[in-house]
């Protein structure tokens, strides 16, 4: 490590400290929810107590598509998107493009949900894409957590701007932290000192930050890229290089569209195409798109999960009338390129999908470590300003947010379960989150004693975590024996993890005072 001067060190400490102090709480929210978003699919599956359909797009999708299309106006059959929710039901979005109330082009059509087994219509809704659900009420919980991570539920595009800015803040903190590490290798094996609570907290902050330093830089850079790429990057490129014509920019990047042939023609056997695509990919089908349904120029795109340890999902393109395999289009551009490869690598690195379940577990653990680094960094900043009344109030806000976010997440989950039988999860899930957040902030405002507030928050959080698996069972009626019989072991694992975490927090809170760590001495608080 290069030696830096005293003045440079002071500047780096200022950058490192203020970058976390100004937006540290929002950064904590994004990082912690990002760790949860790594397992969004598993959370959605757990929220529905598993599913009897582990591959809903593997059978009789062609018959279901024909039935769903029966009552849909022809004007909406320009494109069909086929997906499924965590309970295994099929969702079809028949749509075209039209101008919305704001004068912008948007997908408009009909959203149809079918039961996977009986193909009975569950719901039938017409409107613009922004007005329609992505899936039924059962997906509201996982979708809420993912949107909280991506946009903090701030309206488009300001939410993406905010999370992109937080990515740069995290990048500044990580790079300045790296430059301040004069002995990085030694810090990887630093043993926290027990002589002082302040020194112990600082050592733990350095230890966790050292192990997660590379991860923080990767996550911050890729997160900022994905936030700004679509919300700011594409409009700027279109304005500068194409005179504001985004359609011309898209055509230049992905190539001119194929010549249209609107003559009517029956769609090839969709199930046959899916069997062919599954044989090529060897993994589960996740999404299907059909362009120009019922025409000579129909095209079928089939998407599959990546192989275990693979970087990217599969995308296969087929002729919609003959079933001929037309190749695997790249994600970015008209032909395979270095830019497309880099984009795929960045996506895999940000979401932790490059080595399957193992890499996602590592990314989850590192995400929790980065949330811990953010919190301890804020606490160290506040301890150095403990005599300032303003920063004392900020300290209570930090404590309320550190425990309040997981409490609010549990509150949203409980509200989701309670409202699930009433089909009102889209409203009650965010309402539960907001109500729990407001309760935590009000409690922090009312209770002046930080130790008392911390103890109360731990008790509430532990109780909520312990209650979640029980509430899930009471609402769904699916116990561990049935979950084992339907191969939904992931639900059992998550149940057990929540019970263990809740019991651990309750034990930490309720153990005898003689077992609890002693309070810091006056000399320690002044260090």
């Amino acid at each position: 490590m290069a030696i830096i001067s005293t003045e440079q060190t002071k500047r780096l400490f200022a950058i490192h400290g203020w970058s976390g102090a100004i937006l540290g709480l929002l950064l904590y929210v994004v990082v912690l929810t990002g760790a949860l978003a790594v397992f969004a699919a598993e959370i959605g599956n757990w929220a529905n107590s598993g599913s009897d359909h582990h591959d809903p797009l593997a059978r009789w999708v062609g018959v279901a598509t024909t039935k769903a299309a029966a009552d849909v106006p022809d004007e909406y059959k320009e494109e069909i998107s086929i997906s499924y929710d965590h309970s295994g039901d099929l969702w079809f979005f028949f749509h075209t493009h039209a101008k919305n109330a704001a004068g912008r082009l948007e997908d408009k059509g009909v959203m149809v949900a079918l039961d996977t087994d009986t193909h009975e219509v569950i719901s039938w809704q017409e409107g613009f894409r922004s007005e329609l659900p992505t899936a039924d009420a059962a997906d509201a919980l996982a979708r809420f957590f993912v949107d909280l991570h991506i946009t903090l539920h701030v309206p488009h595009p300001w939410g993406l701007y905010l999370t992109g800015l937080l990515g740069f803040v995290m990048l500044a903190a990580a790079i300045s932290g790296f430059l301040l590490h004069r002995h990085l290798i030694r810090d990887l094996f630093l043993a926290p000192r027990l002589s002082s609570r302040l020194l112990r907290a600082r050592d733990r902050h350095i230890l966790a930050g050292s192990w997660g330093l590379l991860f923080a830089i990767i996550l911050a850079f890729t997160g900022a890229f994905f936030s700004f790429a679509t919300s700011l990057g594409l409009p700027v490129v279109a304005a500068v290089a194409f005179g504001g014509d985004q359609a011309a920019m898209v055509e230049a990047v992905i190539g001119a569209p194929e010549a249209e042939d609107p003559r009517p023609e029956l769609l090839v056997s969709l199930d046959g195409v899916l069997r062919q695509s599954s044989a090529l990919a060897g993994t589960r089908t996740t999404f299907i798109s059909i362009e120009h349904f019922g025409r000579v120029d129909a095209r079928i795109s089939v998407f599959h999960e990546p192989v275990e340890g693979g970087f990217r999902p599969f995308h296969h393109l087929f002729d919609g009338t003959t079933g001929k395999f037309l190749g695997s289009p790249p994600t970015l551009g008209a032909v395979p390129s270095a830019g497309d490869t880099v984009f795929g690598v960045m996506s895999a690195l940000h979401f932790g999908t490059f080595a399957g379940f193992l890499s996602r577990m590592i990314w989850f653990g590192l995400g929790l470590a980065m949330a811990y680094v953010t919190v301890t960094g804020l606490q160290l900043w506040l301890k150095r300003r403990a005599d300032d009344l303003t920063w004392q109030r900020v300290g209570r806000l930090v404590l309320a947010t550190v425990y309040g976010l997981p409490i609010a997440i549990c509150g949203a989950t409980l509200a989701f379960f309670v409202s699930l039988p009433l089909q009102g999860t889209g409203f009650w899930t965010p309402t539960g989150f907001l109500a729990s957040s407001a309760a935590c902030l009000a409690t922090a405002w009312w209770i002046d004693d930080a130790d008392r507030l911390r103890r109360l928050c731990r008790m509430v959080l532990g109780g909520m975590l312990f209650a979640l698996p029980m509430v899930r069972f009471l609402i769904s009626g699916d116990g561990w024996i049935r979950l084992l019989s339907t191969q939904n072991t992931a639900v059992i694992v998550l149940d057990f993890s929540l019970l263990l975490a809740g019991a651990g927090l309750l034990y930490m809170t309720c153990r005898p005072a003689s077992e609890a760590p002693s309070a810091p001495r006056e000399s320690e608080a002044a260090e």
Side-chain angles (χ1 to χ4, degrees), residues 177-242:
F178 172 75
L179 294 175
L180 288 169
H181 276 286
R182 296 179 182 273
H183 308 284
L184 182 59
I185 302 301
R186 188 187 68 183
D187 289 341
L188 291 172
F189 305 97
L190 179 67
R193 287 167 284 187
L194 302 178
S195 59
S196 164
R197 178 176 290 185
L198 178 60
L199 292 176
R200 184 166 64 248
R202 185 164 59 193
D203 289 343
R204 287 176 175 173
H205 175 77
I206 293 173
L207 181 63
S210 299
W211 280 101
L213 196 56
L214 179 61
F215 169 78
I217 293 174
I218 291 173
L219 197 69
F221 177 77
T222 55
F225 170 81
F226 286 120
S227 289
F228 283 124
T230 55
S231 63
L232 189 61
L234 292 180
V236 168
V237 171
V240 173
F242 297 90

Side-chain angles (χ1 to χ4, degrees), residues 25 50 114-115 213 215 258 377 404 470 499:
L25 291 179
L114 297 183
D115 183 276
L213 196 56
F215 169 78
E258 297 180 5
M470 301 178 188
L499 290 171

